[in-house]
Amino acid sequence: MVEIPAGGASPMRTTSETETAPLRKAELNGVSDAEVATTAAAPAGAAAPAEGKYQKVKLSPSTLAMRRGNDTFEDISRDLPEISMFCLTKENPLRRVIIRCIKHRYFTRAVLFVILLNCASLAASSQRPAFNLTPEGRFLLKVEYFFIAFFTLEMVLKIMGMGFILRKGTYMRDPWNVMDFVVVVLGLVSILPQADNYTAIRAVRVLRPLRTITRVKGMRNLVITLLESLPMLLDVLVLCFFAFFIYGIIGIQLMQGILRYRCAPLSMTQQELYSATERGDYETFCSGTRIDEGVLESTGVVNPTTTGLGLQCSGEDFCRLTNSNPNYRITNFDHFPAALLTIFQCISLEGWTDVMYAAQDALTGWIWIYFVSLIWFGSFFAVNLTLAVLYLRFKQSQEVSAEEAVIQQAEARAKGELDAQAAEDAANLVPVVSGPSWWRGLRRSCFRLQAHSKFEVLTMIIIIINTAIMMVERHPQPEAEQAIMDNINYLLTAYFGLEMLIKLAGLGVRKYVADTMNVFDGLVVIVSIVEISVTNSGGSGGSGLSVLRTFRLLRIFKLARSWKELNKIINTIFKSLASIAYLSLILLLIIFIFGLLGMQLFGYQYYYCDAYPRSFRLCPEDNTDTPMFELCPSHFRCYISCKQEEEGTWLLVPDRFDGGTSQFFDQALCEAKEFAWDGKHSLDLEHSPHYPPETVPDPVPVRTHYVALVGDSDLARHHFDDIYMSFITIFQILTGENWNSVMYDGMRSVGNYAVVYFVLLVVVGNYIILNLFLAILLDNFGGGNDDAETSARDPAAMEAALSASGRQVMPVGGLTPTMSANGMESAPADGGSTDVGEAGDDPTNIIKTGKSNRSLRTRNTTAMVGSTIVKNVEMTDRSLFLFGPENKLRVFLYHIVSHKYFEYIVILFIVLSSVCLALDSDDLSEKIASPEGTPGREAAVRLKDALRYLDWVFVIMFTVEAVLKIIVMGFVLHAGSYLRNPWNVLDFFIVIIGLVLLGTEGSNLTNLESLRALRTFRALRPIRMASRAEGMKVVVNALFQSIPPLGNVLLVCLLFFLIFSILFVNLLKGSFYYCQVVCPEQDVGADYCEGDSWLARHAGMRLDPVYVMGGTGVTTKDMNKEWCLANTDITISGSGFHYVGGNSGTAIPIDSGGNRHLVTSMYHWSEMSDEERTTFNITLLAQSLPPSTDGLPKLYHQWVNKAANFDNVWNSLITLFEMATLEMWLDIMYDAVDSTGVDQQPIRDSKLWICLVVVIFLVVCSFFVLNLFVGVTIDKFNDMKAKQEGRSLFLTNDQQNWLTIQKLLAATKPIRKFRPPQVGFRRSVFNIVTTDSFDAFIMAMIMCNVLFMSMEHYEMSPPWVAATTNANFFFTALFSVEAVMKLIAMGVIGYFRDAWNTFDFTVVTISLVGIFLEQVMSTNVSVVSLLRVFRVARIFRLIPKAKGLRTLFQTLLFSLPALFNVGSVLILFFFIFSIMGMNLFGSIRLGDNLNRHANFQNFPRSMLLLMRMATGESWNGIMHDCSVSDNCIRVLKPVQIYGWENVSPADSYVDSEDAWYKCVDCYGDGTSEYGPFVPDSGTKLPQALWSEYFEDECGHPMWLTGLYFCGFVLICSFILLNLVIAVILDNFQSSTANEAMPVSRFHMSRFVEVWADLDPDANYFIPVSKLSNLISELEPPLGVKGVVHTKSEVQNIIMTVDIPNRSGQVHFLETLHALSGRVAGTQLPEEEEEHIHMRMHERLPDSNYPKYSAAHYHAALYVQAAVRGFLARHQMKNRRYSMKSGDKDGYQAL
């Protein structure tokens, strides 16, 4: 019998779930008995069972039948209506058959099976041109009719069996059925004649398998978590929309139209400029000097208009209006929708720096404030709020299912004990075997051997050796070394094979396979043996099977069994696998759904002809006998139009139009083609030479067109042509890498509506599903101390723990015998005195006893208040063997260094030193190196000198500080000495480095120049300031406390990365080399290497073998390293050349020198006739390629390697880490996809299966392993925060709530309240402005104002400009009237006492000033118009009225202090790395990523670059640019390099070897002291001459660069930024928990409001007589308002609380504390109680508590009233008696 805790249904379950819970639990656990535990069957009136107890109930026979599967018709039709379709009753035979059919489990299985088939058919479908004409397309079209018919039949059967919609339980009452109905109807519509194609809607049908989720517990919990999170996620969305609304309006006001301006020459018309900008020719944004385009077009006169604060165009270029926004006119702030999309892209942290850099050039450099603040709020806060919501809901869902988990955990625990016992028996008992004695002896020996500990140790050593051997593998590798490694691999394989045989013999097959690790080892051994056999037999087994040996490294994880912390992390990983497995299924389902939808929307749309200006996609074939899909490629080629007279001739495309080019060395063959230029043959109808797009006839006739092929279209790497690439593309979007590029292509291909698809995918996939992935991991980390917390909730365990720690156990809800109601000790047994007010001798004490600890009275308040800690350093040992403890000098110096002002002075010098380091930049050195007379040079020289002198001062000051502290503290030998403090070690190191640098100043010791970079370590000193700020202390301590556990996480990461590293080395070593086009300017001249020549445009392009390896008998595999290095005759190392040409022969001729002649492509060679081949114009090639002596043009090429490669384990580790950070991983993946082999030229998409390997790596190492950093950081942050706040682990839920409530009320303060006017005009105005209707009207006007502001856009029409201007006048006047009315009603002091009123008045004033200036000065004051938009912030007044938004907003407000602390520490590390970067990389040559915007040349740009790197934006690209080693020596003067035909001009770049050994002009005429230049002598250029002609701008070695950048990413991105998540999670949980506490922040705010009515001046006191009024106006639980109550009930509340009566008044804090304690008060441990009471006593008037309380006062009033009543009654009685007896008339009168 299984028992389940009673106590009613969970609050988050529905009634039906509660009723069926016992049955589901019994079924879940396989209960054969008909008994389950529940409280549902408890008899009426019976006492409810105690919490945690159980009782039994019998299941009904019908329930048992359902559970056993013997369902009757009554059971399965119980929830169905009695009549269906107005005619079919339950007794109808047809309906009975239908109901049994649709309720049968095989019917559901059949439907699900057909759904899977439908999904497969949808996945196999394609949008390829003419796909429906292919055999596959015809088959899928026929199958579609079957699916439509089947689902229609299912729908009809369900409608007949269940009814349609009118009654409960009918078909349309189920949301799943509604979805099915819509899908089936749309499917029927799609097959109707003349109907549009509704194929995309069919993809929705894949949602139907979601119904199976509810049957799988793990997936059900996750789906419930997501559904329950939707309301709060909606609140997050609304909060984000508010903020983005403000940012959008600000962006429109600041940046509308500015991204349309580019630097361009005056020679181009505006239309030409627009076309050139569209194809990407002019990409430099600018702000000045602008010209009037209208005047230029009409008169040709240049009329400069404005010069902005951004980039100023240089040379002959002007800042011209192109009317083209970047990214295909998508990225801009010209109108509100575009601004919102741009903001959304920025908060996704993808491409945000590109937008910021463009805005800096086009507007001002200060626009970084806008973007950085957007990133901090949007990406670091709002997105993490989503994580907080999901994390909290997931924890709540785990708690809701705790009852079921109890049963499963019990079974799992029992099973685990049995398994452990069985394993122990198997390990210790020799198996009983039969057979010959030698066999039995052999098995026993093998068993003892495999069970021996030394055998296991030997195996681990062999595994480590195997790992080391695998790590040695690299490219290139000597053959002898490779042979040795192969032999070692044979030996290792033999050992592992012998190990497998020993275990098989000793354990037997059954026990061997019982251990999954043994099964894994066996598979690896078998695969290794097969691989060796195939390789030795001459096969290619090593290409694929050898990589499986790397998985043997997984056996290293066996070490975790003896490593506690590592074992904890491994257990966390495996604990998360179950939930993550279910979540992975949901994620795969979402990817599949979006993949199918993407195929329908964007299939075969992502290919373009952008590389060939004025070209178009075309299939110029029209053959009715052959289908078009057989004549044309799937992705149409690119053509240009040509003339009829040019047919059959080769054209030079650049001569046709400006910017023209061709894939065939700028040539194109004009051909005549007959086809119909329609949408089927061309996707670009606007290029039709005969019909404009609006006049295309239907049908389009077949005509002869003259076109020339210029190249293949460019198929984007991300596309949706098939389900596989759709999966990869959607995974790319989920990672966030270049997802905006996918969206741009989608929007320009199918229209702007495509943005809905991509934004929805990012929100659902990235911000919800992947955040839930992280929430599961965080929950498992947070549950690491579940055992301790569970024991803490157990009274017995808590009592034992507290007793062990010396604490007294306080029972919840009551008092110990020695405690009174007010929390103080009771009178001693001997009758000692007690305070009045306690349960003692006071005869007036009638205070009732309730919950404990409601009073702020303490035993010893004097010790609490005003205590200070005096710093005392004991000097017990001798210092430096000279100064004793009583030495006067030492004592004197002690008083100096221990004085607070000494520390302040040191901090001041630290700050000044840091400022000087920030000023010492590469820009300063550049100004100093500029020629005499350059503006700013003299100031730079003076600043440099000042910095040098200040550096001496700082070194001396820090040296003096160190000497003083060493004399006082001692050096190192005794405890407490100087170097025993780590901070002092850092200081001493900095001092030594400073002294060394000071000593080498001005000397010729150039090898010590690099030591100047160590000066930057002095910037670490400000970390000491963090120890003096409580908030920052938590952050810094959490950072340092996280280092040990992060070391374990780092080890786990390293193991995973090592496994994948060796795997990728085996797969891809030596395969990233490629042959690229190169232009040797020093050999062929600048004419071919500059401008618009083919070589200039294509230099660095990877050669495609398809286009250069034409001819019979030649294949693409012939292009390799040997081919690329052939015929070297230029100075560039690793280069060669080939001739370009051909003849009418059938093969490419080879001359006597072995030089192959090339043709343009296989396509031309195979499809052109002999006559056409002979027309290939070699003469035209002379304009594109440099000719040789025999007249044939040469194509120069170079064999190079990618910077990110897998040639060895070290490079592989660096590359994998870059990929795991999700930056530029696509480039690396597609390089791997294109690889063909070692030293082979890559070919596009030759290994598409590599994509799956990369996806698996990213899921394991990025989504999972690297997120362990998040878990550990947050876990340690919570631990440190709990210790810093003094929280005890052993607190019950009630104690935690009471502690939190006291912290909240400790921060609560009374507010001043305006006293309304009594009478007159002001009173009338006051009554108006304080009504809800007036407030609602103002809110509506604010919304209208914001709406008008959001409708402003670029190039508004004059009427709309007038409308917006008048609207601005109207709203400004309206809000001015509002301000005036409130000023009249409230007065000046009362009005400005409200912060919102102050804000409103400021906005109104600025708006009025702006309008005045615009009208008077006729000038657009942009700053004033910008400040107007802040009126939209008044929308946030709505937040307190919505509970969900209030919680989120409180999370933001409460997080600000902690976020400020984290941000300050983050900025501190930014500063440190910025100074290091300026010293290390400030003078490095700029590259692709390290450019004029992102560099280390000065401090501001360094900080902004680090901010960019912290967000992950191309940080690895910057790293590789900082390690540049080729062509990085800048030429200062024109020089002649030996072997070069041309002189290297100034500001050009040469290699280091050329500069040091081949500079001819550096020696002058040869008469100098250095002698003449001697070629090939190996003589190095003297340093003095080298510095005169060259400047080193080369990067640093990769190990140093990688250490800097990887260290920054780890510290700032993976640790410090994760602390932001920790802060948000902590505050969100606190805010959410606060809403559910007995006394919430809302209740406290109501207390403040009611108190303000009684104390409008916020004096903290009200008369004690008003206490009853206060309680009467407070809602429950603090008061009684809103419920039926009597005066005596208010009196009862006063009697049950202890509020000190201070001279007839009660204090604000004491009253709130007492009323809150009446509801939630409970006894706290002494440490926590003193800690929180210390904070409260600081706000009390004094530490002397009065003798009496408010209860005494009201008790006295009660007694007084009783006595008066008694006296009155007695007097009345006497009077009546006297009248009755003595005066009958008087009595009658009475």
Side-chain angles (χ1 to χ4, degrees), residues 294-308:
V295 174
L296 181 65
E297 289 286 339
S298 58
T299 64
V301 177
V302 178
N303 184 19
T305 56
T306 59
T307 300

Side-chain angles (χ1 to χ4, degrees), residues 392 1281 1287 1300 1304 1447 1450-1451 1454 1623-1637 1641:
L392 183 65
K1281 189 170 184 292
R1287 289 205 302 261
T1300 304
L1304 293 177
T1447 302
Q1450 288 175 354
T1451 301
F1454 299 157
V1623 169
I1624 294 173
L1625 283 178
D1626 179 69
N1627 286 284
F1628 182 77
Q1629 286 180 283
S1630 299
S1631 299
T1632 306
N1634 173 261
E1635 295 292 335
M1637 284 191 301
R1641 195 180 300 272

Side-chain angles (χ1 to χ4, degrees), residues 37 69 171 411 431 531 739 1064 1182 1213 1270:
Y171 179 79
E411 291 185 350
E531 180 261 330
W739 77 269
F1064 278 94
L1213 283 173
V1270 185

Side-chain angles (χ1 to χ4, degrees), residues 653-719:
V653 181
D655 290 346
R656 306 286 298 180
F657 44 81
D658 184 37
T661 184
S662 164
Q663 196 165 6
F664 318 118
F665 305 105
D666 284 350
Q667 295 194 54
L669 177 64
C670 184
E671 303 173 272
K673 298 288 186 179
E674 292 188 0
F675 61 95
W677 199 305
D678 54 9
K680 182 174 67 173
H681 291 81
S682 175
L683 301 179
D684 306 311
L685 294 178
E686 65 274 12
H687 292 278
S688 173
H690 301 288
Y691 308 106
E694 62 274 5
T695 61
V696 177
D698 187 18
V700 180
V702 177
R703 300 185 58 171
T704 300
H705 301 276
Y706 298 92
V707 293
L709 175 67
V710 291
D712 277 350
S713 57
D714 180 21
L715 174 63
R717 289 287 195 174
H718 48 259
H719 59 81

Side-chain angles (χ1 to χ4, degrees), residues 726-738:
S726 296
F727 172 84
I728 300 299
T729 302
I730 291 175
F731 183 81
Q732 167 191 344
I733 295 174
L734 294 182
T735 64
E737 177 67 1
N738 294 341

Side-chain angles (χ1 to χ4, degrees), residues 1501-1513:
R1501 279 202 291 264
S1502 298
M1503 292 290 287
L1504 195 58
L1505 175 58
L1506 293 178
M1507 174 64 193
R1508 163 184 173 170
M1509 289 170 52
T1511 64
E1513 186 79 349

Side-chain angles (χ1 to χ4, degrees), residues 235-247 336 340 377:
D235 292 334
V236 175
L237 179 63
V238 173
L239 180 64
C240 293
F241 183 76
F242 277 170
F244 298 160
F245 203 95
I246 297 174
Y247 274 101
F336 191 68
L340 281 184
F377 179 83

